[in-house]
Amino acid sequence: AGTLKRIDYSLIKGGGITVADNWRITADVTSNTDPISSNLEQVDTAGQGTLGSAMTVSSGRFTFPSTGIYYVAFTSYCDTTSGGDNVGIAINATTNNSSYAEVARNFFGGSDARAGTAHCSTLIDVTDTSNVKVSFEAFSIDSGSKLQGTSDKTESGMMFIRLGDT
């Protein structure tokens, strides 16, 4: 009685998050783009890091390194040319490596706003790394407005964190 007979090895080893990856957009997106497929890089600025295996991207389609439940976020710094303009962002997902559907979206803009942040996030159940993928979209961008990007810091980017098993 009162004796611990078994200790879960994952608690001793640390368990928890095994993948954390961060990507950014390295140049401004100035028109509607689905998917965002160019000017993408894994963060590499001093002090930033990743954990575990990296995401891979091809033609704007991100592939997960392992199965599991992932937190996926898209944050963008937006600049609009007029108070009535806005910039939209979205996360799109597929479970068959073909048909993508929007799973999260947000807007920045309207009224007197000129520059600010839009953010959207979701949980993705990656049951098969060959078929479950995500992509990112910028939309509702009027002439002169933009989703800002640069390579020396993250102004607009994507985050992927594996929270646990599926």
Side-chain angles (χ1 to χ4, degrees):
T3 305
L4 183 61
K5 295 185 180 192
R6 179 179 173 266
I7 297 176
D8 188 328
Y9 181 70
S10 66
L11 294 175
I12 295 170
K13 188 175 179 190
I17 294 171
T18 57
V19 174
D21 203 4
N22 200 4
W23 288 68
R24 66 174 152 231
I25 300 169
T26 62
D28 294 347
V29 177
T30 58
S31 62
N32 297 343
T33 307
D34 181 22
I36 297 171
S37 58
S38 60
N39 302 310
L40 296 168
E41 73 174 8
Q42 188 180 38
V43 296
D44 58 0
T45 311
Q48 293 182 295
T50 61
L51 175 67
S53 298
M55 298 289 294
T56 56
V57 62
S58 176
S59 301
R61 313 297 192 195
F62 282 82
T63 299
F64 296 89
S66 58
T67 60
I69 303 292
Y70 284 78
Y71 171 76
V72 177
F74 183 20
T75 302
S76 64
Y77 182 69
C78 307
D79 190 5
T80 60
T81 57
S82 67
D85 188 18
N86 59 50
V87 174
I89 61 169
I91 301 171
N92 300 314
T94 181
T95 58
N96 63 10
N97 195 25
S98 178
S99 304
Y100 281 77
E102 185 178 278
V103 295
R105 74 162 30 195
N106 205 343
F107 288 90
F108 168 80
S111 77
D112 292 330
R114 297 285 193 246
T117 302
H119 174 86
C120 60
S121 61
T122 190
L123 296 178
I124 300 292
D125 185 1
V126 181
T127 56
D128 178 345
T129 59
S130 296
N131 287 309
V132 179
K133 299 176 188 289
V134 293
S135 66
F136 301 89
E137 176 181 1
F139 61 94
S140 188
I141 300 177
D142 286 347
S143 177
S145 294
K146 61 187 171 185
L147 182 153
Q148 291 188 195
T150 185
S151 62
D152 63 345
K153 60 185 156 286
T154 304
E155 290 182 329
S156 297
M158 306 82 165
M159 185 172 291
F160 307 87
I161 301 173
R162 185 181 183 279
L163 300 175
D165 294 339
T166 183

